[in-house]
C-alpha cells in the first residue's frame, strides 16, 4: 500500500479538496486497492468539523464530494505511516518539517512540485477570499493529482 497525506492549515478547504480530487483520480485508474489517501491540518482549530461550505459546494459542482470529511490535525505517527506528505503551501511545509523526525524528512514535499506546468509553488489559501479562490484550488489540485499519480505509478510499478 502506498499512503498519501495532504496537509494544509485548517484541514477544511485545501487539503480535503486535494484528498477528494486525488482519490477520484486513483479510483478512475482502478488503484483504490493500492493507494490510501487522507488529509490533515497543521492547526487544531477545525478538528472534527466538516469541510468548509464553500469548498464543498465548489467541489460538488465538479462531481467531487467532501461530505464525509471531518477535520483532523497532523500527528507525529503520520510521518512514519504516510509515504507522501504533501503540503499545500510553504508555511505548511516549514511547519511539517519542524515536526518531522529526521529520517522521514524526504517524505515531506510541496504538492505543486507535481504540477510544474502550473508555474507556482503554493495552493493559495482561499479561506478569506471569494469563490474564485475555491475554483483555483480545484484546478491546481486536478493538475497536481495527475502528476502525483503518474509519479506514484512510475516509482511503485503500479
Ligand atoms: P485550509 O484553509 O488551510 O485550506 O483548510 C483555512 C481554513 C481555516 C483557517 C485558515 C485557512 N482559519 O484561519 O480558521
Amino acid at each position: 500500500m502506498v499512503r498519501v497525506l495532504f496537509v494544509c492549515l485548517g484541514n477544511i478547504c485545501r487539503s480535503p479538496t486535494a484528498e477528494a480530487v486525488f482519490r477520484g483520480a486513483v479510483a478512475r485508474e482502478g488503484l483504490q486497492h493500492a493507494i490510501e489517501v487522507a488529509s490533515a491540518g497543521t492547526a487544531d482549530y477545525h478538528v472534527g468539523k466538516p469541510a468548509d461550505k464553500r469548498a464543498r459546494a465548489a467541489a460538488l459542482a465538479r462531481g467531487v464530494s467532501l461530505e464525509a470529511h471531518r477535520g483532523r490535525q497532523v500527528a507525529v505517527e503520520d510521518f512514519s505511516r504516510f509515504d507522501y506528505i504533501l503540503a499545500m503551501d510553504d508555511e505548511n511545509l516549514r511547519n511539517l518539517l519542524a515536526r518531522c523526525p529526521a529520517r522521514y524528512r524526504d517524505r515531506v514535499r510541496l504538492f505543486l512540485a507535481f504540477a510544474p506546468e502550473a508555474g507556482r509553488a503554493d495552493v493559495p489559501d482561499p479561506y478569506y477570499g471569494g469563490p474564485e479562490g475555491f475554483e483555483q484550488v480545484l484546478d491546481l489540485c486536478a493538475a497536481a493529482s495527475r502528476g502525483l499519480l503518474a509519479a506514484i505509478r512510475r516509482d511503485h510499478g503500479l
Side-chain angles (χ1 to χ4, degrees):
M1 192 62 119
V2 179
R3 295 186 171 86
V4 179
L5 181 69
F6 295 102
V7 179
C8 62
L9 175 62
N11 191 219
I12 56 169
C13 299
R14 291 167 293 173
S15 61
T17 300
E19 176 188 352
V21 168
F22 184 65
R23 182 176 288 122
V26 167
R28 279 193 297 279
E29 300 202 16
L31 291 170
Q32 321 76 302
H33 63 283
I35 303 176
E36 178 184 311
V37 191
S39 68
T42 59
D44 65 358
Y45 323 132
H46 302 287
V47 171
K49 304 271 177 59
D52 183 280
K53 211 184 293 170
R54 299 161 297 169
R56 286 159 56 195
L60 267 188
R62 298 194 193 193
V64 173
S65 175
L66 311 184
E67 300 306 308
H69 177 76
R70 293 296 178 270
R72 79 163 177 92
Q73 190 178 22
V74 173
V76 73
E77 300 77 37
D78 290 326
F79 295 107
S80 54
R81 175 170 178 80
F82 289 92
D83 305 287
Y84 296 81
I85 300 166
L86 301 175
M88 294 297 129
D89 66 29
D90 191 59
E91 184 188 336
N92 309 146
L93 181 75
R94 282 184 280 113
N95 198 308
L96 284 167
L97 288 172
R99 303 186 204 186
C100 182
R103 65 186 176 286
Y104 300 126
R105 287 175 70 87
D106 61 352
R107 300 178 168 196
V108 181
R109 329 251 305 258
L110 281 172
F111 183 34
L112 290 193
F114 293 96
E117 73 283 5
R120 56 183 311 147
D122 290 356
V123 180
D125 186 347
Y127 191 70
Y128 294 106
E132 69 287 350
F134 292 87
E135 299 302 327
Q136 182 183 31
V137 169
L138 282 159
D139 291 339
L140 290 169
C141 287
S145 288
R146 284 192 290 274
L148 174 62
L149 189 50
I152 290 175
R153 294 193 74 146
R154 186 180 64 235
D155 294 348
H156 298 271
L158 294 172

